[in-house]
Each structure stands twice: as C-alpha cells, then as structure tokens.
Amino acid sequence: MSNVFRLLVLSLLVIGKGDGVYGLVDEYRRDDFPAEFVFGSGTSAYQVEGAALEDGRSYSIWDTYAHSGFCSGANGDIACDGYHKYKEDIELMAETGLEAYRFSISWSRLIPNGRGSVNVKGLQFYNDFINRLIAQGIEPHVTLNHIDLPQILEDEYGGWLSRKSVEDFVAYAEVCFREFGDRVLHWTTFNEANLYALGGYDTASSPPGRCSSPFGYINCTIGDSTYEPYLVGHHFLLAHASTVRLYHEKYKAMQHGFVGLNLLLFWFEPYTNTTEDVKATQRANDFYLGWFLNPLVNGDYPEIMKKNAGKRLPSFTKIESEKVKGSFDFLGINHYTTLYVKDNPKSLETDNRDAYADMAFTYTGIEFPIAEFPLKPMGLVKLLSYLKEEYGNPPIYIHENGQVHARNATLIDTPRVAYLQAYIGAVLVALRNGSNTKGYFQWSFFDLLEMVGGYGYGYGLYYVDLDDKELTRYPKLSAHWYANFLKGNNISDIVISNLKVKGSFSS
Ligand SMILES: *[C@@H]1O[C@H](CO)[C@@H](O)[C@H](O)[C@H]1NC(C)=O
Ligand SMILES: *[C@@H]1O[C@H](CO)[C@@H](O)[C@H](O)[C@H]1NC(C)=O
Ligand SMILES: *[C@@H]1O[C@H](CO)[C@@H](O)[C@H](O)[C@H]1NC(C)=O
Ligand SMILES: *[C@@H]1O[C@H](CO)[C@@H](O)[C@H](O)[C@H]1NC(C)=O
Ligand SMILES: *[C@@H]1O[C@H](CO)[C@@H](O)[C@H](O)[C@H]1NC(C)=O
C-alpha cells in the first residue's frame, strides 16, 4: 500500500516537472499527428504465442536456444499463451485503442518442415488472427522473421550461413503474401537484421548462439565470430531484396502493400568532441545502420566496413548490388536510447577481430543488466534527422520503443509513462522538422519472454501474472496513458486523469 502511495507521489512529480524536463514538447494530442500516421504496439511470435509443439508447429532456433538455458533459463513453451488467448487479447488491443498491431508469423508454425507443405492449423490461426484484428479496425503489420528460423533448416544446412536460406525464405514469404496479402499491407522481412547477425553469430547473445573465442558471452562450441556475422548479414540482404522484388513483381499491383527491413538503432553521440571520438561515432553509425542501409540505398557496404573487415566482409557482385539497391519500401527501426562513443583504436591492432573489434569503439550510456533506459528523446529526433539527411528521408516506421523494468506486479509504471510521453513527443518534433516517419509502435503490448532476462524484465503496457494459471493480463498506468492519448486527449491532462482511475487496477 505505502509502495503504491510512493509511486503516486512520483506520478505527480511528472506533472509538476512539465516544461519539457522529460520531453521536448509539453503537450500534444493524437490530432497533432497526421491522420494517416499509425500508432500501435507490438510483440513477436515466440515471445507470446506458446503452444510450441502444438497443432503441428516445429521448433525454431529460438526454441532451441531458450531450451539450452540462454534466455536466463526461461523458454517460450507457454509464454503468454497467446496462441490460445488471442481472441481476448485482440479485445484488449481494441480497448486500448490501438490503430495497428505489429506481430510476427512463426515460420515453423506455418511451414513446419521449413519448406514445402503448409500446416493447415497454422494457416487457420494466422488467418483468424488477422481477420479479428481487421474486424476491430486494427491494421496488421507483420514481421516475417523475428529471430526464429525453423530449426530443421539450421540442422540441414546451417541456416543463414548458407545461401540456401535465401531461397527458402523467399518461398516462405511468398506463402505469406499469397495467403495473407489480401489483408496485410505492411511486411517486414527481418527484425533487427543487424543484431540478429551480431547476437547470433558474434557474441552468441541470441539464437542460434554461435561464436568463437574470445568473443562470445558463452563458451561456444561452434561458430566463427570473425566472419559469420558478415556472411549472415549478406544473406539477409539478398533474401530481403529477393523478397521485395518478388512482392513488387507479382503481388504489389494487386495487393498495394509495402515491404521493409528492420534494424536496431541507437543514437550515437561522441563521448568528447575530439576528432577521434567524432570519427568513431560516424563509424558506429556506418556499422549499425550503414551496414544494411548503404546497400539498400547505394548498392554497397560503407567504405569503412570494407576497410576494417577486409576479406571477411562479402562483396556484392554487380547483379546482387543492383538487386539490393532500392529494394525497400520503408525502414523499420527499433530505438531505445542514446549511447556515447569513445574511439578504441587498439582493437584494430590484432588480426583476430570480430565485427565489434572492427568497429573500434567503446560506449557508455547503458549498463548491464539494464535497469531502465535513460530518457534521451533528443536522440530519436537526431536519429530521424540523420536518416533524412544521409539516406534521402526514407519512409520510417518506429517498430519498437519503450521502457524496461524488472518485472513485478506494480501496475503504476510511472517511468514508462514518462518515457512514452517524451519519445512520442520526440516523434512529433521530428515530423514537424520534415521526417518521413509513418508510424510508431510501442514495445511491448504485454510483458513477455525477453531475449535478455527471460521473464525477469518487462516492457509491457499489460502485466501478465505468471503465477496465475489463467495468465491474467492487467493494464498498467502506461496502458491507460496510451489509451487516453489514442482517444485524442491532451497528454498534459492524461497523467492526472489516470490517477483518478488507479483504484480500479492497483488493488
Ligand atoms: C568458459 O570456460 C571457462 C574455462 O573453462 C570458464 O572459466 C568460464 O566460466 C566459462 N564461461 C562461461 C560463460 O560459461
Ligand atoms: C561538443 O561541442 C558541442 C558544440 O559546441 C557542444 O554542444 C557539446 O556539448 C560538446 N560535447 C562535449 C561532450 O563536450
Ligand atoms: C516494478 O516495476 C515498476 C514499473 O513497472 C518500476 O517502476 C519499479 O521500480 C519496479 N520495482 C522493483 C522493486 O523492481
Ligand atoms: C531539422 O532539419 C534540418 C534540415 O534537415 C537539420 O539540419 C536540423 O538538424 C534538424 N533539427 C532537428 C532538431 O532535428
Ligand atoms: C492541455 O492541457 C494543459 C494543462 O491542463 C493546458 O494548459 C493546455 O491548454 C491544454 N492544451 C490543449 C491544446 O488543449
């Protein structure tokens, strides 16, 4: 009880601070954004669905990774049981006022053998899911691959390390376009393509958990951190480009949709104003963003990557380069905070280098384990401005943005409200300055299975009680805040009005 009281006082402080202390704009409404701009929230298949081996689904590399103990011992066998609870979940989304919902399709649920025959039960599930979203007026935004390649393809030919993955991915994507494309207009090929490659193949901090000494977080028995991330990134680009080409040639005229790629992007600030740190900051952008966006916009990798990675970075043939160049309708970005970059030239002194050593910088700005992201809304404004200036202002969807906390039953998540208020305000500032941003998705709709920390951390608007057999969902203050914003209320008033309703959910 006294805990709740203390948190309420904190809430009042948020109001008191006003004047741009947290955010860049003090007040705004949904109406300040263009009507066609979409606001939503998101999740991914493995993190919420559960039903891991039910109705014909087979394991993905994430199932295998989690079952090896690498998600803090947690796994997605049950997760939020979204596979069974999706009807009520979509009701919650509608009550929250979501205009769009970002989720991913589990490839191994739809095509359990990785290629070939489609699982009728999986098809039914996603058809019903999409139909129910649309019946509630919620736009489906679909990610095709959220770190969950079917394990069977990993076993057969080494997954993304093999060129064969390109063909299988495109065939899977085509099944999705054919079956769901009459209702789904927004497709993302890969979630966090950059981190998928780095986490999966350099540090082993995400599936499939490959690395080589001394680069991994774990002692890998298999992998080579010096070149695998680059090879896999190359295959992501080829798979992405072929998928976009296929959509444009065969489906776009009929379905009128859009296909993009998603990256995890920080905003990087130089730690000091020395030439070295400023150059290191440019290098950080080139390695995180330019790695994928330079090929998509210009047809080749950034010069600094070619220089520092040398032969370990694949090169594009002329035909590949032409295929990749221009092959995106939008860029999806996952953004959480700003990092401060310090030059680290020493890491280039050895030949045994992984991608991080090639980047040659160290950073501050977040500490592990992450307790809470520092609020740096100006970083998002600058990132969107950088995309405008350096890459021709492509259409952007902010696919993930949100605040993390150790997961607990406290429903008064004032820091999350302050975070969302500040960052959505930052999007408004960027839009007013000419950014081509088209939508914003809060991460995540529920507290779910996180790669880092398993069920120990939450980003959700809704708390899921894991001790309750029913996995009951409870709205946090942030759910009420977002709902009020989406209903068109003035956000300066929202915190106050929510405090009035707190009794209904903090008992
Ligand atoms: C890796 O192996 C070394 C030597 O056996 C051991 O000291 C270390 O704790 C291991 N690290 C991890 C993350 O398991
Ligand atoms: C770098 O210079 C800019 C412009 O003069 C200034 O705003 C900023 O605070 C400086 N940064 C550091 C870390 O000194
Ligand atoms: C519980 O979560 C809330 C936000 O959801 C956070 O503000 C608070 O610090 C957390 N409490 C603990 C003890 O971790
Ligand atoms: C606004 O846009 C201009 C022109 O692209 C850019 O120079 C400036 O840095 C931007 N301002 C902010 C606050 O992002
Ligand atoms: C929003 O609310 C604030 C605080 O109540 C008020 O000062 C402001 O005029 C309101 N803005 C609009 C556009 O209604």
Side-chain angles (χ1 to χ4, degrees), residues 25-280:
V25 279
D26 292 345
E27 50 177 79
Y28 55 81
R29 295 171 180 269
R30 172 63 182 92
D31 283 359
D32 292 322
F33 294 81
E36 63 277 11
F37 188 97
V38 291
F39 280 98
S41 179
T43 61
S44 89
Y46 189 64
Q47 295 175 279
V48 294
E49 282 181 7
L53 289 175
E54 212 171 305
D55 288 347
R57 183 182 181 274
S58 70
Y59 270 174
S60 74
I61 56 175
W62 198 342
D63 295 71
T64 306
Y65 184 80
H67 277 274
S68 307
F70 298 142
C71 293
S72 307
N75 65 59
D77 286 359
I78 299 172
C80 303
D81 200 24
Y83 187 73
H84 296 111
K85 296 175 78 78
Y86 69 100
K87 293 175 190 166
E88 45 200 285
D89 286 343
I90 291 172
E91 296 288 329
L92 275 188
M93 292 171 205
E95 277 170 34
T96 313
L98 298 192
E99 300 163 5
Y101 182 60
R102 173 179 181 251
F103 64 99
S104 73
I105 288 177
S106 162
W107 181 347
S108 64
R109 190 181 296 289
L110 192 62
I111 309 177
N113 288 327
R115 75 172 80 82
S117 59
V118 172
N119 174 20
V120 175
K121 291 258 174 73
L123 188 63
Q124 257 169 16
F125 171 70
Y126 290 114
N127 265 324
D128 197 38
F129 195 92
I130 291 164
N131 289 342
R132 281 172 188 271
L133 284 176
I134 288 173
Q136 294 283 7
I138 303 171
E139 274 181 23
H141 286 235
V142 174
T143 309
L144 291 167
N145 197 258
H146 201 112
I147 334 183
D148 58 352
L149 180 85
Q151 180 65 36
I152 198 166
L153 301 182
E154 185 75 16
D155 295 340
E156 184 185 323
Y157 53 66
W160 300 114
L161 286 167
S162 165
R163 270 276 176 142
K164 291 183 184 161
S165 61
V166 174
E167 196 183 317
D168 285 339
F169 178 77
V170 177
Y172 154 63
E174 176 152 29
V175 170
C176 294
F177 297 154
R178 196 181 66 218
E179 299 292 342
F180 312 123
D182 56 334
R183 287 152 292 156
V184 173
L185 292 180
H186 296 87
W187 299 98
T188 301
T189 51
F190 293 97
N191 176 68
E192 295 187 359
N194 51 357
L195 255 284
Y196 198 165
L198 291 168
Y201 299 84
D202 189 336
T203 57
S205 54
S206 59
R210 296 172 63 94
C211 66
S212 58
S213 177
F215 304 110
Y217 289 147
I218 56 174
N219 290 323
C220 296
T221 53
I222 192 161
D224 190 332
S225 303
T226 68
Y227 79 91
E228 286 188 2
Y230 295 128
L231 181 61
V232 162
H234 199 70
H235 292 155
F236 287 162
L237 279 164
L238 297 179
H240 165 82
S242 298
T243 302
V244 174
R245 300 281 171 214
L246 169 80
Y247 188 82
H248 280 237
E249 280 157 25
K250 210 166 152 188
Y251 294 92
K252 178 128 183 155
M254 219 161 40
Q255 300 182 345
H256 314 292
F258 309 92
V259 188
L261 177 85
N262 173 286
L263 299 173
L264 175 69
L265 298 178
F266 298 98
W267 176 245
F268 293 112
E269 284 285 343
Y271 187 74
T272 71
N273 275 331
T274 56
T275 314
E276 289 77 13
D277 285 355
V278 170
K279 280 176 78 176

